């Protein structure tokens, strides 16, 4: 009997020990599961946080890229300029000339018969109140209403010599950039010609003075020149610090030229406080390969167009997107490539130069 009691006690203790062990294992398993679940939760939180950080970084990078693209002349200016080119509408070559005070009467010394072969020259004669017997036919610039009904003599680059001769002119006024091409033709048809320097703002006003003296419009010329002197007095000291280096490209259908400081667009850059990276003693435009241009390391690239602006702008878009060398230009990398209004930055100086300088200022001095 005593033996059985001892056996029962041993069995009960054994059962209790087994139960305690089982309970401990279950508790340990529960604790392990809880820790695992907690670790998984932390891991999920960390993963989510990392994903958010990556997404935020990508968004920031996208915003920076977008900002850089917008800062390059980029799209907004290109679209505005292209829309103007695609419209095909003629615009006054100089809005300033159109809005300026000028003589209502159109006169010229008796016996004079004057032909003007460019819109810029027509702006000068319009402001002087000088009559013309021939004006150019232009695809971009409108001629002052003063000359409505006057005979057109062909394009500025290639005037019709037969028409000019038929007008019996006493003088043909032409930009001096075309003297090498046209002087011999004027001589061949037996007409006098005067070639005017319209390659800079100063040249524009020198031409005003020349025409005023030649055709009895001194008073009108002096008033126009006084406007120039007043403007230059206030503008000349505006940017006297470090000069940004600027490359100026003149686009033509299918090609482009580099504009030197002798060209109108190139001279505007220097008047605005920049340094044109290409200088030449005599030439207005140069043909330069891209490796030479890259070596100049311009801070800013200015692009304008001549003749057929729509085709020239399309050429620039293709050139800069397909020719890999442009990607190595610091100005391209920093988004400092600008398409400027070809109406303000053409081949010849106009009275709109203050607006052109105002457009250049934020490009050169951001």
């Amino acid at each position: 009997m005593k033996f059985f009691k001892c056996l029962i006690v041993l069995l009960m203790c054994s059962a209790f020990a087994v139960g305690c062990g089982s309970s401990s294992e279950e508790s340990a398993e529960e604790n392990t599961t809880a820790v695992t679940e907690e670790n998984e939760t932390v891991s999920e939180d960390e993963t989510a946080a990392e994903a958010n950080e990556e997404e935020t970084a990508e968004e920031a990078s996208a915003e920076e890229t977008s900002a850089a693209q917008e800062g390059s002349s980029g799209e907004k200016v290109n679209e505005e300029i292209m829309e103007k080119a695609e419209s095909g509408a003629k615009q006054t070559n100089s809005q300033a000339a159109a809005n300026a005070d000028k003589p209502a009467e159109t006169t010229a010394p008796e016996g004079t018969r004057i032909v003007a072969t460019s819109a810029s020259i027509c702006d000068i004669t319009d402001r002087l109140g000088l009559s013309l017997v021939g004006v150019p036919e232009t695809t971009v610039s409108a001629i002052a209403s003063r000359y409505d009904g006057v005979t057109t003599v062909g394009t500025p680059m290639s005037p019709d010599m037969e028409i000019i001769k038929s007008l019996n002119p006493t003088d043909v006024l032409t930009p001096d950039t075309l003297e090498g091409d046209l002087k011999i033709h004027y001589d061949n048809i037996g007409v006098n010609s005067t070639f005017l320097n319209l390659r800079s703002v100063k040249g524009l006003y020198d031409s005003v003075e020349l025409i005023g003296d030649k055709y009895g419009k001194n008073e009108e010329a002096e008033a126009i020149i006084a406007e120039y002197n007043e403007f230059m007095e206030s503008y000349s000291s505006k940017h006297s610090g470090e000069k940004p280096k600027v490359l100026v490209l003149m686009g033509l259908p299918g090609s482009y030229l580099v504009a030197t400081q002798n060209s109108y667009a190139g001279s505007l850059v220097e008047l605005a406080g920049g340094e044109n990276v290409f200088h030449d003693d005599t030439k207005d435009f140069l043909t330069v390969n891209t490796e030479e241009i890259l070596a100049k390391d311009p801070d800013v690239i200015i692009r304008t167009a001549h003749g057929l602006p729509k085709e020239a702008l399309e050429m620039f878009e293709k050139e800069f997107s397909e020719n890999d060398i442009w990607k190595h230009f610091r100005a391209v990398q920093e988004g400092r490539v600008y398409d400027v209004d070809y109406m303000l930055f053409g081949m010849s100086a106009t009275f709109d130069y203050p607006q052109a300088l105002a457009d250049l200022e934020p490009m050169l001095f951001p």
Side-chain angles (χ1 to χ4, degrees):
M1 189 72 173
K2 186 175 182 180
F3 171 78
F4 285 111
K5 285 183 180 181
C6 290
L7 181 59
I8 291 170
V9 171
L10 288 171
L11 289 173
M12 290 178 65
C13 288
S14 175
F16 177 79
V18 170
C20 287
S22 175
S23 176
S24 296
E25 290 173 0
E26 289 174 1
S27 177
E29 290 175 0
E30 289 174 2
N31 289 339
T32 301
T33 302
V35 169
T36 301
E37 290 175 352
E38 183 177 350
N39 288 339
E40 290 175 352
T41 302
V42 170
S43 178
E44 289 174 358
D45 290 341
E46 289 175 351
T47 302
E50 289 173 0
N52 288 336
E53 288 176 1
E54 290 176 359
E55 185 176 356
T56 301
E58 289 174 358
E59 289 175 354
S61 176
E63 289 175 0
E64 289 172 1
T65 302
S66 176
Q69 289 173 344
E70 292 175 0
S72 77
S73 79
E75 299 176 19
K76 183 176 181 183
V77 177
N78 287 340
E79 288 175 2
E80 290 175 355
I81 302 294
M82 183 60 80
E83 284 176 7
K84 178 180 286 189
E86 289 177 340
S87 70
K90 290 185 180 181
Q91 300 187 31
T92 304
N93 193 58
S94 170
Q95 195 62 42
N99 295 332
D101 292 333
K102 49 199 169 188
E105 189 178 4
T106 306
T107 62
E110 187 176 353
T112 58
R113 295 177 59 81
I114 306 166
V115 171
T117 65
S118 84
S120 296
I121 293 174
C122 289
D123 280 340
I124 296 174
T125 58
D126 175 41
R127 290 203 63 182
L128 293 172
L130 188 63
S131 63
L132 300 172
V133 297
V135 296
E137 179 181 349
T138 67
T139 57
V140 175
S141 306
I143 304 301
S145 59
R146 185 190 297 278
Y147 303 117
D148 288 350
V150 173
T151 301
T152 56
V153 298
T155 64
M157 300 289 288
S158 184
D160 190 312
M161 295 299 157
E162 290 187 8
I163 296 176
I164 290 177
K165 184 177 181 179
S166 71
L167 294 172
N168 297 313
T170 57
D171 197 6
V172 181
L173 305 178
T174 300
D176 69 358
T177 51
L178 298 172
E179 184 172 1
D181 297 322
L182 299 179
K183 178 69 164 64
I184 189 171
H185 296 294
Y186 294 148
D187 291 344
N188 287 341
I189 63 173
V191 301
N192 295 320
S193 55
T194 300
F195 292 91
L196 304 173
N197 176 8
L198 301 179
R199 291 173 290 168
S200 67
V201 175
K202 184 180 183 304
L204 170 68
Y205 285 93
D206 287 344
S207 299
V208 169
E209 184 175 22
L210 187 155
I211 297 173
D213 287 344
K214 192 171 186 177
Y215 293 109
K217 297 289 185 178
N218 303 83
E219 185 177 344
E220 292 85 349
E222 288 173 2
I224 296 170
I225 293 169
E227 294 175 5
Y228 166 66
N229 291 333
E230 183 179 353
F231 175 82
M232 290 308 301
E233 185 177 348
S234 62
Y235 186 85
S236 58
S237 61
K238 193 167 186 181
H239 296 293
S240 56
E242 185 176 352
K243 297 177 181 292
K245 297 188 298 180
V246 184
L247 169 68
V248 183
L249 300 177
M250 175 66 73
L252 309 168
S255 64
Y256 62 86
L257 297 171
V258 171
T260 73
Q261 86 288 354
N262 292 321
S263 69
Y264 176 53
S267 72
L268 280 174
V269 162
E270 300 215 327
L271 189 58
E275 175 192 344
N276 193 322
V277 295
F278 279 95
H279 276 240
D280 191 89
D281 292 338
T282 58
K283 295 180 180 179
D284 300 355
F285 299 95
L286 304 173
T287 301
V288 186
N289 65 51
T290 47
E291 286 77 12
E292 290 180 75
I293 299 174
L294 179 60
K296 296 288 187 179
D297 189 31
D299 300 303
V300 180
I301 298 175
I302 301 294
R303 307 187 306 196
T304 187
H306 174 63
L308 298 172
K310 179 177 180 293
E311 289 81 353
L313 291 168
E314 289 174 345
M315 176 278 303
F316 273 135
E317 291 296 331
K318 183 176 181 180
E319 168 69 13
F320 274 66
S321 62
E322 295 182 3
N323 189 344
D324 286 342
I325 194 170
W326 292 106
K327 297 176 183 178
H328 300 287
F329 280 73
R330 185 164 51 84
V332 174
Q333 295 168 356
E334 295 177 358
R336 299 188 70 185
V337 180
Y338 302 95
D339 287 339
V340 293
D341 190 342
Y342 54 87
M343 296 299 299
L344 297 175
F345 296 82
M347 296 291 284
S348 296
T350 78
F351 293 107
D352 280 336
Y353 67 91
Q355 181 59 56
L357 293 173
D359 286 359
L360 279 176
E361 187 169 4
M363 302 174 189
L364 272 54
F365 303 97

